Amino acid sequence: MTATEFSTRLEDPEEEPVGTQGRGRRTTTTMLRLPFGLILSSLVVLVVLAWAVLPSLFVTENPLLGDPDIRLSPPNAHHWFGTDHLGRDIFSRVVQGAGASLGTTAIAVLMSFVTGTFLGLVAGTAGRVVDTVLMRIVDVLQSVPSLLLSLAVVASLGSGPVNIAVAVAVASVPSFARLMRGEVLRWRNSLFIEAATMSGIRTPEILLRHVLPHAIGPVGALAAIEFGAAVLAISALSFLGFGTQPPDPEWGLLISEGRDYLASSWWMTVIPGLVIAGVVVSVNRIAHALQTERRPS
């Protein structure tokens, strides 16, 4: 440290120290500046992800076994979410069902993300004819309501978690493809892309090394939004009986099982529904924060 820097440090005692302590202080300051809603949303998502990955840390009861003596018990200290018509602990079933619901959702979003990104890259670079054909297909898919399109696909494929993941992915591909195409068209005429082309670099390499890293950011933010929508869509398909089959727990299936007891045992449907709503709202809040962070000031 020079004499000038030392005197500046003495004159400005509020300046953060260099090193681990300074980095820790900056991290704490950044966390304090985050909106409370974003922090709460992040906690909700982390808890639900922990349910999906390590459910045994949160529950000890078997979600498939019930006790007829405590059937339709309201929420209490021993059964936080109450029990169902077979005496099974609903909290255990919600926690165990997180893996099925979020796993199927992750598969659906990953499939739509990869497929839509690929189609967007091709449409934005392969020429006018290919672009027109692909975008007209995307327009047709987008003209059909997403849930109706998912129902049509799953009706042709059959029930099951993988099939409903494919059905939801098909309905989500157009959004990714259109956004990716727009980003490719935005970046492909940039000066550094023209310089790479004039340097003799092949088109596939330009797309993968130069265009894709710049265009993937907004598509990633869209994936966060689509994750929340996919949770709703998969829960809806499971509610209709196309997803996980009884007695295995799944969020949409839990609501379906409790609809016949809604008048007398509201917790069987309301509490799983609130869990789904909390996850969707939290994911959308995080996605909104990501979009705001990437938006130029």
Side-chain angles (χ1 to χ4, degrees):
M1 179 182 295
T2 64
T4 303
E5 292 174 339
F6 181 75
S7 61
T8 302
R9 178 64 59 81
L10 291 178
E11 295 172 358
D12 187 14
E14 295 301 322
E15 183 179 355
E16 292 184 354
V18 179
T20 305
Q21 184 179 359
R23 289 194 297 269
R25 184 175 299 177
R26 287 194 296 269
T27 302
T28 303
T29 303
T30 303
M31 290 293 294
L32 291 176
R33 290 177 180 175
L34 292 176
F36 175 75
L38 180 59
I39 296 176
L40 181 60
S41 299
S42 301
L43 290 176
V44 170
V45 172
L46 289 175
V47 169
V48 174
L49 288 177
W51 286 358
V53 176
L54 297 170
S56 59
L57 293 180
F58 299 91
V59 295
T60 56
E61 297 188 30
N62 190 328
L64 305 181
L65 299 179
D67 184 356
D69 294 335
I70 57 172
R71 60 186 300 271
L72 299 179
S73 297
N76 53 65
H78 298 288
H79 304 283
W80 294 354
F81 291 177
T83 61
D84 63 8
H85 58 293
L86 298 178
R88 296 174 296 191
D89 182 64
I90 296 179
F91 177 72
S92 299
R93 292 180 62 77
V94 168
V95 172
Q96 294 286 348
S101 297
L102 297 184
T104 306
T105 301
I107 294 173
V109 174
L110 180 61
M111 292 175 61
S112 59
F113 176 84
V114 173
T115 305
T117 298
F118 174 76
L119 292 178
L121 278 173
V122 173
T125 57
R128 183 174 180 180
V129 175
V130 176
D131 182 25
T132 301
V133 172
L134 290 178
M135 287 302 101
R136 295 299 76 78
I137 295 175
V138 167
D139 290 341
V140 171
L141 292 177
Q142 284 190 316
S143 66
V144 182
S146 58
L147 184 58
L148 181 60
L149 180 59
S150 298
L151 281 171
V153 174
V154 78
S156 61
L157 295 178
S159 61
V162 176
N163 289 339
I164 65 173
V166 173
V168 173
V170 170
S172 301
V173 163
S175 300
F176 288 101
R178 186 169 291 280
L179 179 59
M180 190 64 191
R181 172 184 176 271
E183 290 296 314
V184 171
L185 294 178
R186 172 189 174 190
W187 289 102
R188 73 175 186 178
N189 294 324
S190 302
L191 292 178
F192 67 93
I193 299 297
E194 294 180 358
T197 303
M198 295 178 63
S199 300
I201 301 178
R202 295 178 300 176
T203 300
E205 186 176 356
I206 292 176
L207 290 177
L208 294 178
R209 293 185 56 185
H210 301 286
V211 176
L212 186 60
H214 288 85
I216 203 67
V219 183
L222 177 62
I225 296 177
E226 289 294 330
F227 191 92
V231 170
L232 283 178
I234 287 171
S235 297
L237 293 175
S238 297
F239 177 85
L240 296 175
F242 292 108
T244 302
Q245 300 300 311
D248 294 330
E250 196 275 339
W251 289 348
L253 179 61
L254 294 180
I255 298 177
S256 177
E257 291 176 342
R259 59 183 172 177
D260 294 334
Y261 304 89
L262 184 59
S264 59
S265 304
W266 55 268
W267 55 88
M268 289 183 62
T269 53
V270 172
I271 293 181
L274 289 176
V275 171
I276 295 173
V279 171
V280 173
V281 171
S282 299
V283 170
N284 287 343
R285 178 65 181 87
I286 295 173
H288 175 73
L290 292 175
Q291 287 183 322
T292 303
E293 182 70 20
R294 294 192 61 85
R295 189 177 300 147
S297 56

